[in-house]
Amino acid sequence: MNTRLLNGRILLISDDLESNNIWAYILTQKGIDVLTAGSANSAIELFTKDPFDLVIINYYFDINEALTLSRQFRSEIANPLLLFTSTQEESVLLDAYEVGIDECIIKPISHRLFVAKITAWLRRSWTVPTEALDHLQANDLRLDPAQRQIILGENSVIKLTNLEFRVLHLLMSHRGQVLDTNVIVDRVWGHTGNGDSILLKNVIYRLRRKIEEDPSRPRYLQTMAGEG
């Protein structure tokens, strides 16, 4: 049995409740933790509360809204982002890949092939399972990879999004070193090519608001002008 699969967390977004329930049932039967959302707003709310290994967008009625949501998620996550669509129109598929979709899955699709694709993408969502990563600590700040959270001091627990975790884990793994912005972008966003210095600055800004007592005078996440 694939333990990585059993540990997967998926956010399934669909504007069709019946479809959402069917796909969620199939995945939970395979031991995958699935949360569902019926709208863009509820999806964003769920995402900000807890990270996911994989996001599936399954819109039936408004492809433009699906693409807008895909673009928004891609700016926040480095994990796989899949789009279920019933169209094979090339222009639509090209637009989807342009906004950051990793794979357009054409419907209808058999249950077996659906699960096989999800399994394959879950294996790619993190090269090394977070459970296998060591806890990292800097003074009174401890990073827990298995839960993707920060323990600050004795009792303060702070949840991280996937990108926040990846950036912080990279920086804490090179504590005391100055990392070039391009190096960070390359390591965090990888082959997707969807990262840039502006997105990185946004992630750093959010991390500072979460972990720094005074974000304007950071103690942990410091920037060296012209260096990194």
Side-chain angles (χ1 to χ4, degrees):
M1 185 174 292
N2 190 318
T3 56
R4 179 61 185 147
L5 175 58
L6 292 176
N7 289 335
R9 278 177 57 81
I10 291 178
L11 176 59
L12 177 58
I13 309 160
S14 178
D15 56 358
D16 183 272
L17 180 61
E18 182 178 356
S19 175
N20 233 4
N21 291 338
I22 292 173
W23 292 123
Y25 176 79
I26 293 170
L27 293 172
T28 54
Q29 291 301 297
K30 297 298 180 179
I32 303 172
D33 186 13
V34 182
L35 272 74
T36 61
S39 68
N41 288 338
S42 59
I44 295 299
E45 183 178 353
L46 283 172
F47 171 77
T48 56
K49 290 180 179 178
D50 214 356
F52 297 88
D53 298 295
L54 174 67
V55 175
I56 303 172
I57 298 175
N58 181 32
Y59 267 63
Y60 280 80
F61 309 115
D62 192 339
I63 188 63
N64 290 324
E65 184 177 351
L67 294 179
T68 298
L69 183 59
S70 301
R71 183 183 293 105
Q72 185 171 1
F73 267 105
R74 179 48 74 208
S75 70
E76 297 287 343
I77 67 173
N79 292 64
L81 182 59
L82 309 184
L83 176 68
F84 275 27
T85 177
S86 57
T87 183
Q88 297 189 46
E89 187 176 340
E90 183 174 302
S91 61
V92 174
L93 301 181
L94 289 174
D95 285 344
Y97 287 117
E98 180 67 25
V99 300
I101 290 293
D102 290 291
E103 183 181 1
C104 294
I105 299 177
I106 307 299
K107 298 177 293 186
I109 184 173
S110 71
H111 292 178
R112 291 180 63 187
L113 184 55
F114 168 75
V115 172
K117 284 180 176 290
I118 300 307
T119 303
W121 278 110
L122 277 176
R123 286 198 297 264
R124 302 183 194 182
S125 68
W126 185 265
T127 305
V128 179
T130 55
E131 295 83 357
L133 298 175
D134 292 331
H135 284 223
L136 298 175
Q137 187 150 354
N139 298 326
D140 58 348
L141 183 151
R142 183 159 58 94
L143 182 62
D144 179 358
Q147 301 298 322
R148 288 200 188 126
Q149 64 187 17
I150 295 168
I151 297 91
L152 192 57
E154 293 294 328
N155 301 310
S156 181
V157 177
I158 304 168
K159 284 288 188 180
L160 300 174
T161 68
N162 178 265
L163 275 185
E164 290 168 354
F165 170 77
R166 292 175 76 113
V167 170
L168 190 58
H169 188 274
L170 175 63
L171 296 178
M172 289 182 71
S173 298
H174 296 81
R175 184 181 176 185
Q177 300 179 35
V178 179
L179 297 183
D180 183 89
T181 297
N182 292 330
V183 171
I184 300 174
V185 170
D186 183 64
R187 292 285 297 277
V188 172
W189 278 268
H191 70 280
T192 65
N194 291 293
D196 58 36
S197 60
I198 295 176
L199 290 178
L200 177 59
K201 286 179 181 178
N202 290 336
V203 176
I204 295 295
Y205 172 78
R206 296 202 308 267
L207 281 171
R208 283 176 172 162
R209 289 179 60 85
K210 287 187 175 184
I211 69 176
E212 301 285 2
E213 185 174 350
D214 182 358
S216 64
R217 301 176 63 184
R219 174 187 177 193
Y220 297 107
L221 298 176
Q222 299 182 10
T223 301
M224 305 296 289
E227 295 185 47

